[in-house]
Amino acid sequence: LRQLERELLCPLHGYTTPEAYYASCQPDLRDIRVPLLCVHARDDPVISASGVLSATEDFRANPLAILVVTETGGHLGYSGGGPFSWPCTPAWT
């Protein structure tokens, strides 16, 4: 994934490295002025839980921002069961 980012995505969008790209994408949670619910799964294969959890104090500092971290859910999918069930039975519990 990093090779794809380095060789294709970063040059396409004007960044020299994936690190420079990700540094530019970090929001300042103090600037959020509308309610925000951020849901993240610890087993997300794309975005590490440690990266999301590093912003815990920033979430606590803004009463409009809430961080919810679940044990499972993967990336962009919280399913009610079975490997192909997500389009039919999303689980919001």
Side-chain angles (χ1 to χ4, degrees):
L1 184 58
R2 284 294 169 144
Q3 183 179 358
L4 175 68
E5 292 170 338
R6 189 178 308 101
E7 294 179 16
L8 178 67
L9 298 176
C10 289
L12 181 65
H13 297 289
Y15 294 95
T16 56
T17 65
E19 292 75 18
Y21 167 74
Y22 286 113
S24 74
C25 294
Q26 295 184 6
D28 188 340
L29 295 175
R30 295 172 296 188
D31 293 338
I32 292 174
R33 301 287 181 252
V34 296
L36 167 70
L37 173 62
C38 178
V39 180
H40 181 74
R42 286 186 191 272
D43 68 348
D44 187 323
V46 178
I47 301 172
S48 73
S50 62
V52 173
L53 292 172
S54 68
T56 299
E57 291 306 316
D58 294 333
F59 275 94
R60 287 186 179 143
N62 187 335
L64 295 174
I66 298 173
L67 173 62
V68 175
V69 179
T70 62
E71 291 301 316
T72 61
H75 188 72
L76 300 178
Y78 288 81
S79 66
F84 303 107
S85 67
W86 70 268
C88 302
T89 57
W92 304 103
T93 57

